[in-house]
Amino acid sequence: MDINEFVEKFAEQFDDTDESEFTPSTVFSQLDEWSSLTSLAIIAFVRTDYGKKITALDIRSCETIEDLFNLVKSR
């Protein structure tokens, strides 16, 4: 599992946010497009692409994309 690939796939869950906004240190909850629906899309992409199960509570416990990457990687 690679952080850059994870960031890229994370960014694909957003329709209107420019890809340049996404780095490992991005605080994703502060993005204008962030919503509960986006959170569900993140849960689905992690399950589909990585075979890992995360919850909305897991996502809320993370601040940055890298935090979420580390959580998924540890599962």
Side-chain angles (χ1 to χ4, degrees), residues 1 3 8-9 17 24 26-27 36 43 46-47 51-52 55 61 67 72:
M1 183 180 300
I3 183 70
E8 184 180 313
K9 290 181 179 195
T17 305
T26 299
V27 178
S36 58
I43 290 169
V46 167
R47 177 76 169 224
K52 311 275 181 132
T55 66
S61 73
D67 293 340
V72 171

Side-chain angles (χ1 to χ4, degrees), residues 11 21 26 28 38 44 52-53 57 59 64 72:
E21 297 284 324
T26 299
F28 55 83
T38 310
K52 311 275 181 132
K53 184 178 178 187
L57 185 60
I59 292 174
T64 65
V72 171

Side-chain angles (χ1 to χ4, degrees), residues 13-51:
Q13 308 311 307
F14 294 77
D15 295 324
D16 299 324
T17 305
D18 190 85
E19 285 186 32
S20 66
E21 297 284 324
F22 297 95
T23 68
S25 61
T26 299
V27 178
F28 55 83
S29 63
Q30 293 182 355
L31 296 169
D32 289 339
E33 197 176 347
W34 182 255
S35 70
S36 58
L37 290 176
T38 310
S39 179
L40 291 173
I42 299 299
I43 290 169
F45 116 74
V46 167
R47 177 76 169 224
T48 302
D49 290 15
Y50 297 103

